[in-house]
Amino acid sequence: AQTVTQSQPEMSVQEAETVTLSCTYDTSENNYYLFWYKQPPSRQMILVIRQEAYKQQNATENRFSVNFQKAAKSFSLKISDSQLGDTAMYFCAFMKASGTYKYIFGTGTRLKVLA
Amino acid sequence: DTAVSQTPKYLVTQMGNDKSIKCEQNLGHDTMYWYKQDSKKFLKIMFSYNNKELIINETVPNRFSPKSPDKAHLNLHINSLELGDSAVYFCASSQGSLLGDTQYFGPGTRLTVL
């Protein structure tokens, strides 16, 4: 069975600094997708970044980048130049690429950006 | 313009009541989903519809019944509400039903059962 683990329930970072959120997963699948979602206090779930497991290159979206280590089953999110608006819950999610549908979310990391 | 909208945003009701949550997407997507986020923030998929057809039905009490009148709408009806149904319910949509399709989430509906 697939699992997604976010071992940091809470983190804080000073504005303009860099922070890394960790995510590990367990699967026997070879092809899959990984996502990071942001949930601000408004509760809206916002897609931050997506990674296909078959791609070796790490995905990047502006200030957000991932460090995808397939062998280690690790998918960390790096936020550079943190902004107050980055304060939110961040969820890591795993989706199978074939077979029966499986979309599994981690329990989230609460990130607070400090002024 | 809101891409995925849900109504109501907040719902407070008594145990035993029946309630509905509505979801609409204006993205032209073919697939819609319902998720439940419990008090520990854990997200779990409940249902998915592709072009009005049920394609995913996780282990959910049959008190929960999704209804899709058209592919832009997926409503969730809950009968005989229980305390444990208190949660935030998220609707989402994706372009297709292919695994890996990016899903776009609505703002959530916080349901409180007293």
Side-chain angles (χ1 to χ4, degrees):
Chain A
Q2 290 83 8
T3 59
V4 176
T5 302
Q6 292 179 250
S7 58
Q8 305 150 313
E10 289 190 12
M11 292 189 74
S12 61
V13 62
Q14 290 291 333
E15 202 176 0
E17 292 190 351
T18 295
V19 64
T20 299
L21 310 183
S22 68
C23 173
T24 58
Y25 56 94
D26 189 22
T27 184
S28 58
E29 302 284 324
N30 190 43
N31 290 324
Y32 47 88
Y33 302 88
L34 295 165
F35 304 82
W36 276 99
Y37 283 93
K38 169 184 175 181
Q39 187 183 38
S42 66
R43 294 205 315 268
Q44 186 104 18
M45 291 288 281
I46 303 164
L47 176 68
V48 174
I49 204 161
R50 162 194 160 124
Q51 174 85 41
E52 289 91 343
Y54 63 85
K55 288 186 178 177
Q56 291 185 341
Q57 188 172 4
N58 288 324
T60 298
E61 279 292 334
N62 300 316
R63 299 182 293 107
F64 298 87
S65 62
V66 297
N67 183 3
F68 174 47
Q69 303 287 330
K70 192 174 182 180
K73 294 179 182 170
S74 170
F75 183 60
S76 60
L77 174 70
K78 185 170 87 170
I79 306 174
S80 304
D81 185 25
S82 297
Q83 300 175 1
L84 296 177
D86 296 334
T87 294
M89 281 285 286
Y90 286 82
F91 291 92
C92 178
F94 166 97
M95 182 189 290
K96 284 175 58 176
S98 60
T100 55
Y101 185 93
K102 266 296 180 216
Y103 200 7
I104 300 165
F105 287 77
T107 51
T109 295
R110 186 181 301 280
L111 175 68
K112 191 177 280 189
V113 179
L114 307 170
Chain B
D1 286 342
T2 304
V4 182
S5 60
Q6 294 176 229
T7 53
K9 285 193 176 173
Y10 299 93
L11 184 54
V12 182
T13 188
Q14 298 287 333
M15 263 197 322
N17 284 349
D18 303 338
K19 290 292 178 187
S20 292
I21 307 172
K22 295 185 177 180
C23 178
E24 177 181 1
Q25 54 95 3
N26 62 7
L27 296 165
H29 287 171
D30 289 334
T31 306
M32 297 183 72
Y33 311 80
W34 275 109
Y35 290 85
K36 180 181 179 181
Q37 186 182 42
D38 62 24
S39 57
K40 294 181 180 178
K41 303 293 188 185
F42 191 66
L43 264 172
K44 205 168 177 186
I45 192 165
M46 300 171 69
F47 303 102
S48 177
Y49 271 72
N50 176 260
N51 273 322
K52 301 193 295 174
E53 285 191 32
L54 183 66
I55 56 172
I56 296 170
N57 186 357
E58 293 291 295
T59 307
V60 176
N62 57 15
R63 298 182 294 105
F64 290 77
S65 53
K67 285 187 172 50
S68 183
D70 55 60
K71 74 173 192 178
H73 296 84
L74 180 61
N75 304 323
L76 182 65
H77 189 75
I78 316 170
N79 288 328
S80 303
L81 278 156
E82 300 177 358
L83 293 177
D85 297 333
S86 294
V88 180
Y89 292 85
F90 283 94
C91 177
S93 71
S94 64
Q95 179 63 54
S97 61
L98 295 176
L99 296 172
D101 279 354
T102 300
Q103 296 183 22
Y104 295 83
F105 285 76
T109 296
R110 183 182 294 279
L111 171 65
T112 303
V113 182
L114 304 174

